[in-house]
Amino acid sequence: SQTIHQWPATLVQPVGSPLSLECTVEGTSNPNLYWYRQAAGRGLQLLFYSVGIGQISSEVPQNLSASRPQDRQFILSSKKLLLSDSGFYLCAWSVRGQGQPQHFGDGTRLSIL
Amino acid sequence: AQSVTQLDSHVSVSEGTPVLLRCNYSSSYSPSLFWYVQHPNKGLQLLLKYTSAATLVKGINGFEAEFKKSETSFHLTKPSAHMSDAAEYFCVVSPPYTGRRALTFGSGTRLQVQP
């Protein structure tokens, strides 16, 4: 069966520090991969999605970037964190094809001080 | 274009009573529809999905949803609420084609279950 792993589960970082969140998927090949942010009391905002190695599409301009160095690895990064980057970050994967559901990791709670 | 509206931001029920979470959608095509549940500080878990087969869809944990094209609705129901059902629920719509905006999420309904 397929599984998705995100780490760390929680992270506290000072303003201006770098960020690296990692997500890996097991049990499937060539997945679509997604990064979302969920602000407190709000819905999900799609940040990035990827349909293959090195192929990243950004949904919103911001302080973050994403990379996909391997087929089942998706990394969310920042060179300098802002207070507004605080939130709950979720990674998801889906099989390719029409109308496929996405499957989510357990998320990373990021607090910026 | 597509959109999804969850009609209630909060729903409170007593344990053992029925649950109804309402969702209306708008889509230019015949969509796929999903319900997800999110417990505090957890990711979203897929409850059920509709993909143009049977209009009554059964999911996990006793939940089911009925696709009504004439009403553009996809309401989530459960006959008897359990304390463990307390969570945030998201209705999600997907068009029948792939693309970057593959999923549109509703704003969520927080379900409270009173003992």
Side-chain angles (χ1 to χ4, degrees), chain B residues 6-25:
Chain B
Q6 293 185 241
L7 299 170
D8 307 291
S9 59
H10 290 85
V11 170
S12 182
V13 301
S14 299
E15 189 176 20
T17 64
V19 175
L20 170 63
L21 305 183
R22 299 182 295 165
C23 172
N24 286 353
Y25 71 92

Side-chain angles (χ1 to χ4, degrees), chain B residues 22-77:
Chain B
R22 299 182 295 165
C23 172
N24 286 353
Y25 71 92
S26 173
S27 177
S28 302
Y29 304 91
S30 295
S32 294
L33 293 158
F34 313 103
W35 275 99
Y36 286 86
V37 60
Q38 184 180 31
H39 288 90
N41 294 310
K42 291 291 186 180
L44 279 71
Q45 180 185 17
L46 181 66
L47 275 179
L48 49 82
K49 59 181 179 180
Y50 166 78
T51 53
S52 75
T55 57
L56 183 62
V57 182
K58 293 188 183 298
I60 61 172
N61 301 336
F63 285 94
E64 62 182 36
E66 186 172 7
F67 174 73
K68 292 187 177 180
K69 186 175 181 179
S70 61
E71 300 177 9
T72 62
S73 68
F74 190 58
H75 301 335
L76 182 69
T77 60

